[in-house]
Amino acid sequence: MEYILNIVILVGLYVILSSSFNLIIGHGGLISIAHPIFYAIGAYCSALLSINFHVPPVLGILAGAVLAMLVSAAVALPSLRISGDYLLIASIGFQLGLLQLIEQLDFTGGPGGIGNIPGLIDGPQRSLVFAGIVTVIAVFVVLLIRALMNGDYGRAVRAMRDDELAFSMLGRRAMKIKLGIFAFGSGLAGLAGGLYAHYYQYVSPEQFGILQSSMILTMVVVGGMSSTLGPVIGAGLLVILPELIAFLNLPPSVMAPVQGILFTGLVLVFMFARPQGIIGASTKRRGGLAEAGQESGR
Amino acid sequence: MFEPVILAQILWTGVANSSYIVLLTVAFALTLKVLKLFNFAQAAVMATAFYAMFFAYGTLHLPPWLGIAFGLLAAGVVTAAVEIYGFRVLRRRRSSSLTVFIFTLVISELLAHVFALCFGTEPSTLFPSIVSPVRLIGGLAISDWDLGAVATTAVLLIFLVSFVRFTKSGQALIAVADNAELAELYGIDVKRSYMLTLLVACLFVVAGMYLYGTRSGVIPETSLDLLLSAVIATILGGIGNVYRAAGAAVFVALVQSFSILFIASRWQGVLTFAVLFVTILLFPEGLKLPKMRFFRLTPSVRPSMNAIASPAAAPSNEP
């Protein structure tokens, strides 16, 4: 039971992460893969506040989300002047640079990370209650993003993404929109980070590296970019499938690579066999991401 | 601390240590120049090259030159497969830069997992000993590895310059890099040029990984870390200019070497990524230096990964 609850919690956290990432990359068209660093900022901020200042975990998690939002806005202001390939590489530089910094600082625990983080919930039903909380938050996040993207703001975001020049010519400020979705998406990642820290009670820099970027990116792509349900499906599939390998009782030195091979192999299969993602077709019908149509090989 | 001999030693060590980064940077920058894509799949080729040589020496007990040939063969096969079954398909579909990026990253991760499964995750070197005989020349400690690394890099760079300047295939690469559509109209086989570019890059990758593997331990993820240094140098040199990228690789290595005079070595990693981040924000076109007209692979305007769909769409100011 504990094992299943763990998976439910992981799926919930990844739903928040992939949905918020989809907001930035799918809806906003901002090619940044630094999402895990905001996840890390939320996790570290919340953990450090709880350990060093005895801040209640709930407040710590909220503070982590706000800090992630503020840092992302501070980074976005200069970074979003550039776009495309450059933004992508800049985001990698920012993510890995900040992780290196976290690894070198003493108060963040260095490469070993931070342990003994106070739990959000204690007691025998801890996992069950936490799974419920994460599920509710994940559903709320998905519905919030759906509402946001189906409204006037969402239309403005899509217009900016599809033709920034035309959008600007209409007197709208593209930078404001970019900044808004970047900060909001990153804040949600920070929220997921805080939840992660207070459930697993341990964080280390290696959990937020380029592999994490790749995993979240894959969830969005496999599920279907710029659709609301795509990242949810992607997160569920890519958390559960590798876990099934665990039932083979392979030694750990074999298990991790096999899971990795399955995971990356699945991405490649989707990339070439169904590039629009699992539920990309509905996106296409609604006139969503043009790329879905382009890449379906029509 | 600032005695001339110490500074000279740091300079020499920095130059020698930059050799494999220069080779990897040239491979990355050349691919970017001609194929117009940030080829993170180079990390897969790097890992393949290293582990093929590791297998050749450790298990097959092949002599050094045959081990290198084995590494070249394995890396070449992976390179060709990535181009034929990956890039060509994505190009045909006019895939976005993001899709291409994901493909290159995922293929690198896939092979890293495969090598972790086959060879484990403990650091490995190509030969049991990485100690190289050292001689004192003018007060400088210079190892055989240093000399071999610098000589190999110089020879390969001369090969690249000669290949590009004096062979038809090399000229074709320039034409394709400038305007692939126009090049095709003039009868140049663009697909062949793309493949040739990747294979030349593969040669540099194998040499770079041989040098690195005879000096340091490698784990399956090492290649991605090393590649990031090449990315930094490529951007610093100004995207689209192969030789400036090589120069930038030396510059980054020297900055790292000399930084030990001012900051603890543990901060070198932070420094490297700070350089990358600041460079992109402040100098997205790279640091501007006087043009070196000696070489033909001069910069065009910045390419875009989007241009993989239509390389000809990338404009050029090349004469």
Side-chain angles (χ1 to χ4, degrees):
Chain A
M1 187 64 184
E2 186 74 16
Y3 177 72
I4 293 171
L5 288 173
N6 254 310
I7 292 178
V8 170
I9 290 165
L10 261 186
V11 170
L13 290 173
Y14 275 111
V15 165
I16 300 171
L17 277 172
S18 57
S19 296
S20 55
F21 187 48
N22 186 38
L23 184 68
I24 295 170
I25 201 165
H27 294 291
L30 304 172
I31 306 178
S32 155
I33 61 160
H35 211 52
I37 199 64
F38 302 111
Y39 183 41
I41 287 170
Y44 270 94
C45 172
S46 185
L48 290 171
L49 284 175
S50 299
I51 291 172
N52 297 330
F53 301 100
H54 307 290
V55 173
V58 174
L59 289 181
I61 291 168
L62 291 176
V66 171
L67 184 67
M69 198 181 278
L70 292 175
V71 172
S72 70
V75 171
L77 273 173
S79 303
L80 293 179
R81 289 188 302 116
I82 54 176
S83 60
D85 320 347
Y86 289 84
L87 180 57
L88 177 70
I89 304 292
S91 70
I92 295 175
F94 175 69
Q95 179 185 3
L96 298 183
L98 198 53
L99 281 179
Q100 286 269 345
L101 192 64
I102 290 171
E103 277 189 21
Q104 303 307 329
L105 293 172
D106 294 328
F107 75 92
T108 56
I114 307 172
N116 295 324
I117 301 167
L120 180 62
I121 295 147
D122 294 317
Q125 298 297 313
R126 175 177 179 267
S127 296
L128 184 65
V129 176
F130 202 91
I133 292 172
V134 169
T135 306
V136 168
I137 294 175
V139 170
F140 176 73
V141 165
V142 171
L143 292 178
L144 181 67
I145 290 173
R146 185 166 174 255
L148 199 65
M149 286 301 112
N150 285 343
D152 290 346
Y153 187 75
R155 276 192 290 279
V157 169
R158 282 193 295 277
M160 183 272 299
R161 177 196 68 198
D162 292 342
D163 195 335
E164 189 176 332
L165 186 63
F167 184 75
S168 302
M169 295 291 279
L170 291 172
R172 303 296 296 266
R173 290 175 63 191
M175 187 66 186
K176 197 174 161 188
I177 298 266
K178 285 183 185 179
L179 196 63
I181 55 168
F182 199 75
F184 182 58
S186 303
L188 290 175
L191 178 74
L195 289 168
Y196 177 90
H198 290 285
Y199 177 70
Y200 290 98
Q201 299 177 293
Y202 170 73
V203 289
S204 71
E206 67 175 22
Q207 296 163 334
F208 307 102
I210 207 102
L211 290 179
Q212 188 69 264
S213 296
S214 173
M215 185 154 177
I216 304 170
L217 189 58
T218 302
M219 288 170 177
V220 174
V221 171
V222 168
M225 199 179 278
S226 92
S227 68
T228 311
L229 277 181
V232 178
I233 307 268
L237 193 70
L238 289 165
V239 169
I240 292 168
L241 272 185
E243 290 295 331
L244 294 178
I245 300 286
F247 290 110
L248 295 176
N249 281 329
L250 297 168
S253 60
V254 175
M255 180 92 74
V258 168
Q259 282 182 331
I261 290 167
L262 177 79
F263 173 73
T264 47
L266 195 69
V267 179
L268 289 177
V269 168
F270 265 95
M271 188 168 274
F272 288 95
R274 193 171 166 82
Q276 71 272 37
I278 293 173
I279 60 163
S282 61
T283 307
K284 204 166 62 176
R285 274 199 300 274
R286 276 192 255 158
L289 190 68
E291 185 188 327
Q294 285 178 351
E295 294 200 8
S296 61
R298 288 178 300 166
Chain B
M1 188 186 238
F2 292 98
E3 287 170 27
V5 70
I6 293 177
L7 295 177
Q9 182 67 60
I10 293 172
L11 180 68
W12 169 253
T13 308
V15 169
N17 283 340
S18 73
S19 57
Y20 50 83
I21 296 295
V22 167
L23 294 170
L24 299 175
T25 302
V26 167
F28 188 81
L30 184 66
T31 308
L32 179 60
K33 173 78 181 171
V34 181
L35 276 78
K36 310 285 188 289
L37 67 99
F38 281 84
N39 183 19
F40 280 80
Q42 185 177 311
V45 180
M46 288 159 63
T48 305
F50 173 80
Y51 282 105
M53 288 188 283
F54 178 71
F55 180 72
Y57 298 135
T59 308
L60 303 178
H61 305 291
L62 297 180
W65 67 270
L66 210 50
I68 293 173
F70 191 72
L72 204 52
L73 181 69
V77 168
V78 169
T79 299
V82 166
E83 163 63 11
I84 294 168
Y85 301 110
F87 293 149
R88 279 186 193 172
V89 175
L90 296 175
R91 231 179 264 132
R92 201 166 52 240
R93 287 181 179 174
R94 298 179 172 269
S95 296
S96 69
S97 57
L98 179 65
T99 307
V100 177
F101 170 74
I102 295 171
F103 169 71
T104 59
L105 195 61
V106 167
I107 205 81
S108 292
E109 281 178 25
L110 175 68
L111 285 186
H113 291 306
V114 169
F115 292 127
L117 188 64
C118 298
F119 298 100
T121 51
E122 291 297 312
S124 314
T125 52
L126 286 180
F127 299 108
S129 171
I130 55 171
V131 178
S132 177
V134 176
R135 67 198 74 193
L136 278 175
I137 301 173
L140 293 182
I142 296 175
S143 70
D144 284 1
W145 184 91
D146 292 348
L147 292 173
V150 172
T152 304
T153 307
V155 166
L156 281 173
L157 285 175
I158 290 167
F159 158 75
L160 182 63
V161 173
S162 309
F163 175 73
V164 167
R165 290 202 69 162
F166 304 120
T167 67
K168 273 194 170 181
S169 297
Q171 298 279 316
L173 295 195
I174 298 173
V176 172
D178 280 350
N179 190 328
E181 207 168 63
L182 194 59
E184 198 155 31
L185 284 175
Y186 276 93
I188 292 171
D189 187 342
V190 174
K191 276 186 186 172
R192 182 178 171 275
S193 293
Y194 286 157
M195 181 65 88
L196 189 61
T197 303
L198 289 168
L199 291 175
V200 170
C202 177
L203 175 67
F204 279 74
V205 163
V206 173
M209 290 312 287
Y210 179 84
L211 291 176
Y212 189 80
T214 50
R215 180 69 174 243
S216 308
V218 172
I219 59 171
E221 286 82 24
T222 301
S223 52
L224 206 51
D225 292 339
L226 279 175
L227 187 62
L228 286 171
S229 300
V231 175
I232 293 170
T234 301
I235 291 170
L236 199 62
I239 288 176
N241 190 313
V242 177
Y243 303 112
R244 277 191 200 165
V250 178
F251 174 74
V252 170
L254 289 178
V255 167
Q256 284 187 337
S257 296
F258 279 100
S259 69
I260 60 167
L261 294 172
F262 308 102
I263 57 172
S265 59
R266 68 181 184 137
W267 294 106
Q268 282 193 355
V270 180
L271 185 72
T272 306
F273 289 110
V275 168
L276 171 64
F277 190 63
V278 171
T279 301
I280 292 180
L281 293 188
L282 301 182
F283 311 102
E285 305 287 339
L287 292 176
K288 295 293 180 193
L289 297 170
K291 282 190 177 179
M292 293 183 290
R293 294 197 177 275
F294 174 72
F295 300 124
R296 292 286 312 270
L297 272 174
T298 48
S300 57
V301 298
R302 77 181 200 199
S304 161
M305 274 195 287
N306 292 325
I308 188 174
S310 174
S316 170
N317 59 3
E318 189 89 355

